[in-house]
């Protein structure tokens, strides 16, 4: 009897101690979760691509931390374990298909790790899935979710104020002289971030019953102004689409507000119609924002280029229809299916700027189906299982409009980590609402200590994962910035090369970026007259070696070949340049830029006949390219056919200053 009492007391003490420890773990998890909304404020000047890398690395570290903490919670208390739902099944299906597409794709390593410029890939989506799991299992009360979303709204206001300071000229706009981008460094990224929070503010405006609800009105106004001045047409149209959908749904579901809703809808229609009717007026044409909408047409350059890229995407999809090419491999499609009419656009695209095409390319028809399944499962719970989510009608309507606006936005743009975090946060919110009523069922005391041992293993594995997943990449991103400063500010070229080599030596996913930066750096240095030839030779040998290594790693990628070919040209290794650039043309036969670079080699070799032939071929690929016409006319004059050269330019300003590139004397 006495032994039983002692044992009972020991079990009780063990339970109390365990509960105390679990509370500590629980609150640590919450603290880490509430750091996530602050990520949009992060701009890491010490890392390459400062608006991308810092946010992503911190997000990964936080998720890895909370995932380890959550495993410990779930191990000792069933309350925190994941609950089955159709939304969870849809998300797991999406991740499985995504993973298969990566491992069977064109470049599994790139598809898994991505690069510094985007930092997506399977690794990011695994972290987003982990983020979803932890939020849906730990955030079990509406109060917690309200605190989380209110925090995010507060941070969005700070970001919006940053954008307004850019608007009035107090802070610099980084990418465009009038399209504000705040701390996200990209106008579309900022726009969709604001769209999410505008709908969130509307939800709280309609749900709140306190006098403080009117605080959301100026918040909504500020977000609307910021969205407008990003001048992102896709995002503004997405917002309008979401609002019209919300109005339509309110007309169907809320009789009390029907009159006000109809008036608002009519006002929106009249406003849009008025702007469209007067699109050629001075007021609209002189507005940097409204003029972008006035110029929307099928003949507009941006529209035409998007349509061409989407057709290229469909052609590539037909080649690999089921699982696609793997994430972050659109660059391969862009080169292989390149259409020369795109000469007016930037030379390197890594996204289709359309979520449907991007999903078809990255993970095939299965990837698109599972991606769309996420939205279908959300709408299923919002409308057909409302008794499980227990959301207000207004909240259901606005969440539907928000998800729809997000999808519409992605028909013309692509995600960043900030929009993905918000998307997965709202997925987790719906999952949490579905499972909030799960009854606590803590595990029975386990005297064997096996679970404690597992918890220790989880802690060790979490720390190990944080290091190996993040630290090498962070080091490389930082070293590249240091190397750039070494040669641009200090003109210490040898030290810069040492830094680049150090960055490459980490063998991280950033090695490709480090190699490209190294080759481009040496390409510039070898043209400087004040640098000793011995130093140039040493730098050149290192750059060529690393450039070749990157080609061996990514043999189907045109970009590293082109960068190396340019280096060969500038270092007067013309035969090597011609060989490498011809390899580029085999991979992308319709890209005129490649022919122009080979033409440089032939010009420097004084081989006029081959120069003429290569520029004639480039011109015939796409005669509308004025640069191709100029170069071809230059080559025609160089071989002595002045009349034909002049005829080529007769309706294009004559042959005056035809081509400084090929140093042709001008004549009219």
């Amino acid at each position: 009897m006495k032994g039983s009492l002692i044992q009972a007391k020991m079990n009780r003490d063990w339970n109390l101690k365990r509960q105390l420890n679990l509370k500590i773990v629980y609150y640590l998890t919450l603290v880490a979760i509430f750091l996530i909304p602050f990520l949009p404020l992060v701009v890491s000047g010490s890392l390459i691509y400062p608006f991308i890398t810092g946010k992503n690395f911190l997000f990964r570290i936080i998720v890895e931390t909370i995932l380890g903490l959550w495993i410990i919670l779930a191990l000792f208390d069933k309350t925190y374990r994941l609950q089955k739902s159709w939304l969870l099944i849809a998300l797991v299906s999406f991740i499985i298909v995504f993973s298969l597409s990566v491992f069977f794709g064109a470049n599994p390593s790139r598809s898994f790790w991505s690069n510094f410029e985007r930092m997506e890939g399977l690794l990011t989506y695994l972290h987003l899935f982990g983020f979803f799991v932890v939020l849906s299992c730990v955030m079990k009360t509406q109060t917690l979710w309200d605190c989380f979303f209110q925090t995010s709204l507060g941070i969005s206001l700070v970001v919006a104020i940053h954008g307004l300071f850019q608007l009035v000229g107090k802070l610099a706009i980084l990418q465009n002289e009038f399209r504000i981008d705040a701390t996200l460094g990209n106008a579309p990224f900022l726009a969709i971030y604001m769209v999410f929070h505008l709908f969130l503010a509307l939800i709280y405006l309609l749900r709140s019953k306190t006098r403080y609800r009117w605080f959301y009105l100026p918040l909504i106004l500020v977000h609307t102004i910021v969205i407008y001045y990003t001048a992102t047409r896709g995002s503004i149209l997405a917002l309008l689409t979401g609002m019209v959908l919300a109005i339509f749904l309110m007309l169907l579901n809320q009789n009390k507000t029907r009159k006000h809703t109809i008036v608002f809808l009519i006002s929106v229609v009249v406003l849009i119609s008025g702007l469209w009717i007067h699109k050629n007026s001075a007021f609209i044409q002189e507005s940097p924002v409204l003029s972008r909408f006035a110029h929307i047409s099928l003949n507009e350059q941006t529209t035409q280029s998007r349509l061409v890229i989407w057709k290229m995407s469909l052609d590539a999809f037909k080649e690999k229809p089921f699982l696609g090419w793997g994430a972050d491999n659109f660059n391969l499609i862009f080169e292989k299916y390149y259409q020369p009419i795109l000469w007016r656009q930037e030379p390197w695209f890594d996204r289709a700027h359309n979520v449907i095409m991007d999903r078809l390319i990255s993970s095939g028809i299965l990837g698109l189906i599972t991606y769309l399944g996420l939205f279908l499962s959300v709408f299923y719970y919002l409308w057909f299982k409302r008794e499980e989510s227990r959301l207000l009608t207004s909240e259901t309507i606005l969440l539907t409009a928000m998800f729809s606006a997000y999808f519409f936005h992605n028909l013309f743009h692509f995600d960043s980590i900030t929009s993905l975090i918000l998307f997965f946060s709202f997925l987790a919110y719906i999952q949490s609402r579905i499972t909030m009523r799960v009854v606590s069922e803590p595990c029975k005391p386990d005297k064997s200590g096996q679970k404690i041992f597992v918890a220790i293993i989880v802690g060790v594995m979490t720390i190990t994962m944080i290091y190996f997943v993040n630290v090498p990449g962070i080091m490389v991103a930082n070293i590249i910035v240091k190397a750039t400063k070494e040669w641009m500010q200090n003109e210490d070229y040898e030290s810069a090369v040492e830094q680049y080599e150090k960055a490459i030596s980490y063998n991280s996913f950033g090695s490709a970026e480090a190699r490209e930066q190294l080759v481009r750096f040496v390409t510039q240095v070898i043209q400087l007259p004040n640098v000793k030839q011995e130093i140039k030779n040493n730098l050149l040998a290192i750059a060529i070696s690393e450039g070749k290594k990157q080609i061996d790693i990514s043999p189907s990628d045109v970009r590293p070949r082109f960068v190396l070919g340019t280096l060969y040209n500038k270092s007067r290794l013309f035969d090597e340049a011609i060989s490498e650039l011809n390899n580029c043309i085999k991979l992308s036969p319709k890209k005129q830029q490649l022919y122009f670079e080979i033409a440089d080699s032939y010009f420097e070799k004084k081989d006029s006949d081959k120069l003429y032939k290569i520029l004639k071929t480039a011109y015939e690929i796409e005669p509308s390219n004025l640069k191709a016409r100029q170069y071809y006319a230059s080559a025609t004059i160089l071989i002595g056919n002045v009349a034909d050269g002049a005829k080529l330019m007769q309706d294009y300003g004559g042959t005056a200053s035809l081509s400084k590139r090929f140093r042709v004397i001008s004549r009219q």
Side-chain angles (χ1 to χ4, degrees):
M1 183 71 177
K2 186 177 180 181
S4 299
L5 291 173
I6 293 173
Q7 185 63 48
K9 185 177 183 302
M10 290 177 62
N11 288 341
R12 188 167 56 252
D13 292 343
W14 190 93
N15 274 329
L16 290 172
K17 186 176 180 181
R18 188 197 66 180
Q19 289 172 9
L20 177 61
N21 291 335
L22 284 182
K23 279 188 177 181
I24 294 172
V25 174
Y26 171 72
Y27 286 117
L28 285 174
T29 307
L30 286 181
V31 169
I33 287 173
F34 275 77
L35 292 176
I36 296 289
F38 290 85
L39 291 180
L41 300 178
V42 175
V43 180
S44 305
S46 61
L47 305 179
I48 191 171
Y49 299 110
F51 295 95
I52 303 295
T53 50
K55 294 177 178 68
N56 278 272
F57 280 124
L58 278 174
F59 174 69
R60 292 177 181 181
I61 291 170
I62 292 170
V63 170
E64 288 155 11
T65 301
I66 62 176
L67 197 58
L69 294 171
W70 168 75
I71 291 173
I72 295 172
L73 287 173
L75 190 66
F76 288 97
D77 192 336
K78 292 182 180 180
T79 305
Y80 298 106
R81 295 183 186 179
L82 197 57
Q83 303 298 317
K84 184 178 177 181
S85 72
W86 287 112
L87 175 56
L88 177 62
I89 292 171
L91 185 52
V92 170
S93 300
F94 171 74
I95 295 296
I96 290 173
V97 171
F98 197 109
S99 302
L100 291 173
S101 71
V102 166
F103 292 114
F104 291 102
N107 188 339
S109 177
R110 180 183 171 99
S111 295
F112 182 83
W113 290 99
S114 188
N115 57 19
F116 284 139
E117 187 175 7
R118 299 299 176 209
M119 288 195 73
E120 282 193 27
L122 177 58
L123 182 63
T124 291
Y125 278 91
L126 290 175
H127 281 77
L128 287 164
F129 178 69
F131 177 61
F132 165 87
V133 168
V134 176
L135 256 67
S136 60
C137 293
V138 174
M139 306 276 282
K140 285 294 186 181
T141 67
Q142 186 61 47
T143 301
L144 277 176
W145 278 107
D146 287 340
C147 291
F148 180 80
F149 285 137
Q150 298 281 7
T151 301
S152 190
L153 271 172
I155 298 303
S156 73
L157 179 59
V158 175
V159 174
I161 291 171
H162 187 285
L164 294 178
F165 273 108
Q166 288 181 322
L167 184 62
V168 297
K170 297 298 183 180
L171 292 172
I173 300 175
L174 298 171
Q175 288 196 332
N176 191 291
E177 61 182 10
F178 70 89
R179 297 180 65 188
I180 60 177
D181 48 25
T183 56
L184 277 70
N186 180 285
F189 293 172
L190 174 61
I192 191 59
Y193 176 76
M194 290 288 128
V195 168
F196 269 114
H197 286 93
L198 189 149
F199 278 106
L200 188 58
L202 280 170
I203 288 171
Y204 280 107
L205 174 66
L206 296 181
R207 190 212 290 174
S208 177
K209 302 300 181 183
T210 68
R211 60 182 178 177
Y212 299 110
R213 62 183 298 193
W214 302 112
F215 164 77
Y216 296 105
L217 282 177
L219 195 65
I220 291 166
L221 177 62
V222 169
H223 282 65
T224 303
I225 293 171
V226 171
I227 293 168
Y228 176 81
Y229 281 103
T230 63
T232 305
R233 293 177 293 185
S235 303
I236 295 173
L237 291 174
L239 176 60
L240 289 173
T241 301
M243 294 302 294
V244 169
L245 177 61
I247 292 167
F248 176 74
L249 292 173
M250 285 183 180
L251 285 173
L252 294 178
N253 291 275
Q254 290 190 328
N255 294 327
K256 292 181 179 180
T257 60
R258 184 165 293 178
K259 290 182 180 180
H260 301 290
T261 304
I262 292 174
V263 170
F264 183 76
L265 179 60
I266 293 174
S267 301
V268 171
V269 172
V270 169
L271 177 63
I272 295 173
S273 301
L275 291 173
W276 184 254
I277 291 170
H278 297 92
K279 66 179 182 178
N280 295 320
S281 66
F283 170 74
I284 291 179
Q285 291 298 322
E286 292 172 5
S287 168
V289 180
L290 294 178
S291 61
R292 284 174 55 79
F293 286 90
H295 294 149
I296 292 177
S297 74
L298 291 176
N299 296 322
E300 186 201 17
Q301 180 179 317
T302 301
T303 304
Q304 286 189 331
S305 65
R306 293 286 172 87
L307 292 173
V308 171
I309 290 172
W310 296 345
K311 183 181 181 302
M312 291 162 50
S313 301
L314 283 175
D315 291 338
F317 159 68
K318 293 173 185 176
E319 185 177 339
K320 297 186 177 184
F322 297 108
L323 287 173
W325 294 69
D328 278 80
N329 284 324
F330 186 80
N331 59 314
L332 304 180
I333 284 86
F334 185 73
E335 303 302 336
K336 183 175 182 178
Y337 293 92
Y338 184 84
Q339 294 300 311
I341 194 64
L342 295 173
W343 64 268
R344 295 181 180 89
Q345 300 296 314
E346 58 184 279
W348 312 106
F349 267 69
D350 61 358
R351 293 290 187 276
H353 290 77
N354 178 284
V355 68
I356 294 175
M357 297 302 167
D358 277 323
R359 291 300 165 195
L360 287 175
I361 290 299
S362 65
S363 46
I365 190 65
L366 296 178
L368 177 61
I369 290 171
T370 53
Y371 179 74
L372 295 176
L374 296 176
F375 291 89
L376 292 176
S377 61
V378 165
F379 296 146
Y380 170 74
Y381 281 110
L382 288 178
W383 291 99
F384 299 101
K385 289 289 184 179
R386 289 174 63 184
E387 70 280 0
E388 293 188 25
S389 63
R390 290 159 291 122
L391 295 169
L392 298 174
T393 301
S394 61
E395 190 171 359
T396 297
I397 289 171
L398 288 170
L399 284 172
T400 302
M402 183 197 69
F403 279 109
S404 301
Y406 169 67
F407 184 82
F408 188 94
H409 166 273
N410 279 350
L411 292 177
F412 306 99
H413 301 285
F414 53 87
D415 276 308
S416 68
I417 191 61
T418 48
S419 59
L420 285 170
I421 287 172
L422 288 167
F423 177 52
F424 276 77
S425 295
F426 282 103
L427 292 181
Y429 174 61
I430 293 171
Q431 170 73 9
S432 176
R433 292 285 306 193
I434 296 165
T435 59
M436 272 183 186
R437 288 177 292 179
V438 175
V439 179
S440 175
E441 188 183 347
C443 297
K444 295 179 181 179
D446 186 351
K447 294 182 291 183
S448 66
Q450 291 179 352
K451 291 182 179 179
I452 296 175
F453 177 75
V454 172
I456 294 172
I457 296 297
V458 168
V460 172
M461 290 180 64
T462 299
I463 295 170
T464 303
M465 181 167 61
I466 289 172
Y467 178 84
F468 284 103
V469 170
N470 301 286
V471 173
I474 293 172
M475 295 297 294
V476 172
N478 175 249
I479 292 170
I480 290 175
V481 172
K482 288 181 178 178
T484 304
K485 288 180 179 178
E486 285 289 347
W487 71 271
M488 291 189 72
Q489 297 179 6
N490 304 330
E491 297 185 358
D492 190 343
Y493 307 117
E494 292 176 298
S495 176
V497 166
E498 290 176 2
Q499 294 283 0
Y500 283 123
E501 287 187 295
K502 181 180 178 182
I504 294 167
S505 70
Y506 278 90
N507 291 320
S508 76
F509 71 95
S511 293
E513 182 72 39
R515 288 192 177 99
E516 180 173 329
Q517 294 290 335
L518 167 63
V519 174
R520 290 186 182 278
F521 149 67
V522 174
T523 301
Q524 295 187 52
V525 171
I526 60 174
Q527 300 175 73
L528 300 176
N530 60 328
V531 180
K532 294 180 180 179
Q533 190 60 44
E534 182 182 356
I535 294 176
K536 289 182 180 180
N537 292 339
N538 290 336
L539 300 185
L540 183 62
I542 294 169
I544 290 174
S545 174
E546 294 298 340
K548 287 180 176 179
K549 288 178 183 177
Q550 190 56 43
I551 290 171
D552 291 339
I553 293 170
S554 307
S556 300
D557 193 348
V558 171
R559 185 160 171 159
R561 293 182 182 276
F562 179 76
V563 171
L564 182 59
T566 304
L567 172 62
Y568 281 139
N569 255 342
K570 299 303 181 184
S571 56
R572 307 192 65 78
L573 299 172
F574 301 120
D575 291 335
E576 290 85 347
I578 291 168
S579 175
E580 199 57 71
L581 292 166
N582 274 323
N583 289 332
C584 292
I585 289 175
K586 290 177 184 177
L587 295 169
S588 187
K590 295 182 180 180
K591 195 164 190 174
Q592 292 167 299
Q593 178 189 16
L594 306 177
Y595 294 85
F596 299 157
E597 194 65 34
I598 292 182
D600 278 343
S601 302
Y602 287 131
F603 178 81
E604 295 294 341
K605 291 183 70 175
K606 303 187 186 313
D607 192 336
S608 299
D609 290 336
K610 289 185 178 179
L611 173 68
Y612 171 79
K613 288 179 181 178
I614 199 74
L615 288 175
K616 181 176 185 291
T617 301
Y619 167 73
E620 290 173 346
I621 288 173
E622 183 51 59
S624 70
N625 187 338
L626 181 59
K627 185 181 288 186
R629 181 181 289 272
Q630 289 175 335
Y631 291 171
Y632 177 37
S634 301
T636 304
I637 295 170
L638 278 175
I639 63 172
N641 198 339
V642 178
D644 285 351
K647 186 177 179 181
L648 277 167
M649 297 301 298
Q650 185 174 355
D651 298 325
Y652 296 87
T655 58
S657 63
L658 263 180
S659 170
K660 293 180 181 179
R661 190 169 189 168
F662 300 114
R663 305 173 194 152
V664 175
I665 303 299
S666 63
R667 47 171 63 87
Q668 193 71 20

